[in-house]
Amino acid sequence: MAKYIKIFDTTLRDGEQTPGVNLNIREKLEIARQLARLGVDIIEAGFAIASPGDFEAVKAVAENVKGVTVASLCRAVEKDIDRAWEAVKNAESPRLHTFIATSDIHLKYKLKMTEEEVLERAVAMVKYAKKYCNDIEFSAEDATRTRPEFLYRIFEEVINAGATVINVPDTVGYTTPKEFGSLIKGIRENVSNIHKVDISVHCHNDLGLAVANSLAAMENGAVQIECTINGLGERAGNASMEEIIMGINTRKDYYNISHKIDTTQIYRTSKLVSGLTGINVQPNKAIVGANAFAHESGIHQHGVLSERSTYEIMTPESIGLPQNRMVLGKLSGRHAFEERLKELGYSLSPDEIQSAFEKFKDLADRKKVVSDRDIEALVEEKVSKVIEVFELDSFQVSSGNKLVSTAMVCLKKDDRMIVEAATGDGPIDAAFNSIERAVGFTMTLESYDLKAVTEGKDALGEVTVRVSKDGKTFIGRGVSMDIIEASVKAYLNAINRAISEIGDEIFDSKPDMALQ
Ligand code: KIV
Ligand code: ZN
């Protein structure tokens, strides 16, 4: 019989530690709901003590997302454990995930503790956590650079103290598949009470080996794999869930592993996470990259046309990649549009459908054929559902090689119009400057990305901006056939997010409400 592997998703915790990523509660909830739909066993929803925002997000996931275990990370410190428990206690199935470093290098330079002190703390804190919760995961941070004998000892003692899962993190992405496999085997053979718990692994990708290391661990007895969507995470990221799952499925003949991931939700989940985090997936990324199922060379195209399996080891349908059909045009009615939304897997409220339909009609007037990718881009532009304090009414930009770029924007706030103009180094800079004058505060633009949603000169342009304000980062997205309009919408989207998170203190001056 196939062995069952539990999937522990840490996109909302380790994934959120990706530089530049800052998700708000609504966005975290949206991702958590999608992870539950995808079928993960455990969602690590955050590090509750890290900030009030993290605490609220973990609590919201615990209280609202059903059918999964919800975990919060906590150091092996009483106040961390108290806070984590407060956040997860209302989950259908709560878990506390406590950790302490165990390698010589961390003990000496970070913790300034001896092995005996670390052991004592780990045992005491597992016992402390056990007062609250039955499901306790213990992680030995930097396990792969820890003396194996110490690792065996600490695992044995925390299991005696009540841990139900022991996690073996390759914190700095240092190990190799064979070495990691042997370490897991060593744990199985040298920890006398190991049969009482699940062995988990948590691999980082610094040497590009996170997935290979996780699979090697699984072959040697690990039954829980910690991973993230799109491989997000600290530095080079964590093991990518989609790669692990499709590896297991495609090589079922070799691994003989079962899990409960619905692979047809992979593409949707990857899109949602890249949209909300603003971290684009590289085109050649395995499974979810734009080129993962594209066949460029003539020989390959010919082979795939006569028999797909010549060059395709898995099908695009298996990850839920929509066929890019192009059948909707300006004569398509609302019913056909709604049907297509359903086929694409969206379940939207009547208001959302209406707004998407209006945008579709507008696009269909300007573009001959509207494809599935266009529809996705239109719908996902609004995926974060941020409150639009400022709404774009209109804008005008003039620019040229011998002109100073000038922009004028007209924004709606409540029932007022705010009109401002500014110059800049190019049309986009001018447009962003005029928006800042209109809203009454400035932001730092950290990055700006523009990509075409489909091929063709009439393609939609999708702009993602990352801006920062008061040390916080915000992502904004905008879609339009006009790339300046897409840029303006993206900037405004980031501004509205910043306002909803920072509140009124964000304003340097009150926006000028006098102009009608
Ligand atoms: O990488 C790591 O060691 C971690 C632990 C806290 C599990 O993220
Ligand atoms: Zn980690």
Side-chain angles (χ1 to χ4, degrees):
M1 212 180 79
K3 190 170 89 172
Y4 185 80
I5 288 286
K6 290 181 189 164
I7 296 296
F8 175 115
D9 181 275
T10 183
T11 306
L12 295 177
R13 199 277 296 171
D14 224 331
E16 220 230 354
Q17 288 172 221
T18 304
V21 171
N22 175 24
L23 298 164
N24 64 32
I25 295 187
R26 260 193 310 242
E27 292 163 341
K28 286 188 181 173
L29 251 181
E30 184 138 8
I31 291 176
R33 290 202 169 102
Q34 179 58 25
L35 290 171
R37 235 172 269 136
L38 178 66
V40 307
D41 299 273
I42 302 110
I43 294 176
E44 184 163 59
F47 191 177
I49 199 150
S51 71
D54 274 62
F55 174 83
E56 290 304 332
V58 178
K59 192 162 180 296
V61 172
E63 288 173 1
N64 294 289
V65 183
K66 302 296 166 203
V68 286
T69 294
V70 178
S72 171
L73 187 67
C74 40
R75 288 167 301 183
V77 175
E78 285 186 9
K79 67 176 187 330
D80 276 39
I81 296 171
D82 294 341
R83 194 81 174 135
W85 177 245
E86 206 43 45
V88 295
K89 68 178 182 197
N90 293 327
E92 216 169 64
S93 160
R95 174 180 291 186
L96 291 173
H97 176 192
T98 188
F99 74 99
I100 191 162
T102 49
S103 65
D104 286 349
I105 199 160
H106 278 238
L107 264 57
K108 181 166 175 200
Y109 295 106
K110 187 179 84 173
L111 297 177
K112 302 191 185 347
M113 287 168 86
T114 63
E115 284 186 351
E116 290 311 311
E117 285 165 339
V118 166
L119 184 77
E120 205 179 297
R121 170 83 71 80
V123 168
M125 289 306 107
V126 168
K127 284 189 180 153
Y128 184 79
K130 199 74 182 178
K131 286 195 303 194
Y132 288 129
C133 182
N134 184 47
D135 190 354
I136 306 294
E137 174 166 336
F138 172 78
S139 284
E141 190 190 7
D142 205 17
T144 51
R145 294 191 299 170
T146 297
R147 265 191 336 106
E149 292 66 31
F150 181 52
L151 203 56
Y152 304 152
R153 196 166 152 226
I154 198 164
F155 282 153
E156 188 151 314
E157 301 269 336
V158 295
I159 296 169
N160 283 335
T164 45
V165 182
I166 57 109
N167 185 35
V168 190
D170 182 25
T171 304
V172 289
Y174 178 73
T175 196
T176 65
K178 203 164 166 200
E179 182 185 67
F180 199 45
S182 305
L183 178 64
I184 302 303
K185 189 161 176 274
I187 291 170
R188 264 188 29 237
E189 289 168 354
N190 291 286
V191 177
S192 68
N193 47 7
I194 197 73
H195 57 281
K196 295 186 179 163
V197 298
D198 283 349
I199 302 179
S200 168
V201 289
H202 173 110
C203 296
H204 279 270
N205 205 30
D206 299 66
L207 295 173
L209 292 171
V211 169
N213 288 337
S214 306
L215 293 173
M218 192 182 76
E219 287 186 83
N220 283 280
V223 295
Q224 173 178 290
I225 297 192
E226 303 198 355
C227 46
T228 58
I229 299 297
N230 299 339
L232 288 184
E234 283 266 5
R235 307 180 308 278
N238 288 57
S240 132
M241 186 201 298
E242 59 278 5
E243 293 178 23
I244 288 169
I245 292 298
M246 292 314 285
I248 291 173
N249 276 20
T250 307
R251 297 305 311 276
K252 204 166 180 50
D253 59 319
Y254 177 75
Y255 289 116
N256 193 25
I257 291 290
S258 70
H259 54 77
K260 69 178 181 65
I261 297 295
D262 172 0
T263 63
T264 64
Q265 291 291 330
I266 285 179
Y267 174 76
R268 160 65 42 81
T269 316
S270 164
K271 286 284 278 182
L272 179 70
V273 169
S274 66
L276 293 181
T277 57
I279 305 287
N280 286 333
V281 171
Q282 80 198 52
N284 59 327
K285 160 97 174 56
I287 320 296
V288 290
N291 296 345
F293 293 93
H295 302 278
E296 182 72 18
S297 88
I299 295 178
H300 288 204
Q301 285 172 352
H302 180 245
V304 169
L305 284 176
S306 44
E307 167 53 45
R308 276 172 97 166
S309 61
T310 48
Y311 287 101
E312 249 179 38
I313 58 167
M314 56 201 150
T315 64
E317 294 79 23
S318 64
I319 64 153
L321 186 74
Q323 298 302 293
N324 198 22
R325 286 162 305 171
M326 297 182 275
V327 291
L328 293 183
K330 66 177 178 185
L331 297 177
S332 307
R334 194 187 151 108
H335 183 68
F337 179 73
E338 265 191 74
E339 282 305 302
R340 178 52 56 84
L341 283 180
K342 275 193 210 133
E343 281 165 29
L344 289 172
Y346 291 106
S347 54
L348 304 181
S349 69
D351 280 356
E352 287 168 331
I353 294 176
Q354 183 56 31
S355 136
F357 185 62
E358 280 163 19
K359 287 200 276 175
F360 157 71
K361 276 295 190 193
D362 187 40
L363 180 64
D365 267 343
R366 299 196 265 168
K367 194 170 186 277
K368 263 199 236 118
V369 274
V370 179
S371 71
D372 288 345
R373 301 267 153 78
D374 292 318
I375 296 177
E376 275 182 352
L378 292 181
V379 174
E380 276 162 22
E381 189 189 14
K382 287 274 184 257
V383 85
S384 66
K385 299 185 190 86
V386 69
I387 297 160
E388 288 187 272
V389 178
F390 291 96
E391 255 182 275
L392 177 65
D393 179 73
S394 59
F395 73 94
Q396 213 176 307
V397 171
S398 77
S399 171
N401 61 343
K402 297 205 171 150
L403 279 182
V404 175
S405 297
T406 315
M408 192 267 300
V409 289
C410 184
L411 305 184
K412 266 192 261 175
K413 183 175 189 291
D414 306 323
D415 52 356
R416 292 161 194 263
M417 289 290 186
I418 308 164
V419 183
E420 278 293 352
T423 57
D425 299 326
I428 296 192
D429 188 40
F432 289 0
N433 289 341
S434 63
I435 292 174
E436 288 182 342
R437 289 179 80 149
V439 300
F441 60 91
T442 57
M443 314 268 280
T444 306
L445 181 64
E446 304 285 355
S447 72
Y448 171 95
D449 269 305
L450 165 64
K451 67 174 194 233
V453 171
T454 56
E455 59 288 341
K457 283 196 212 140
D458 64 353
L460 277 176
E462 185 174 51
V463 171
T464 307
V465 293
R466 175 176 286 111
V467 298
S468 62
K469 180 81 187 165
D470 301 343
K472 292 191 170 145
T473 310
F474 305 94
I475 303 294
R477 289 173 74 231
V479 174
S480 170
M481 273 176 75
D482 175 329
I483 58 168
I484 310 233
E485 183 176 2
S487 307
V488 165
K489 284 161 111 183
Y491 207 62
L492 215 45
N493 182 233
I495 280 181
N496 282 325
R497 279 177 190 223
I499 296 172
S500 75
E501 194 159 326
I502 298 179
D504 274 354
E505 311 89 87
I506 200 167
F507 296 103
D508 301 333
S509 60
K510 285 274 168 256
D512 178 4
M513 304 296 181
L515 292 156
Q516 294 289 329

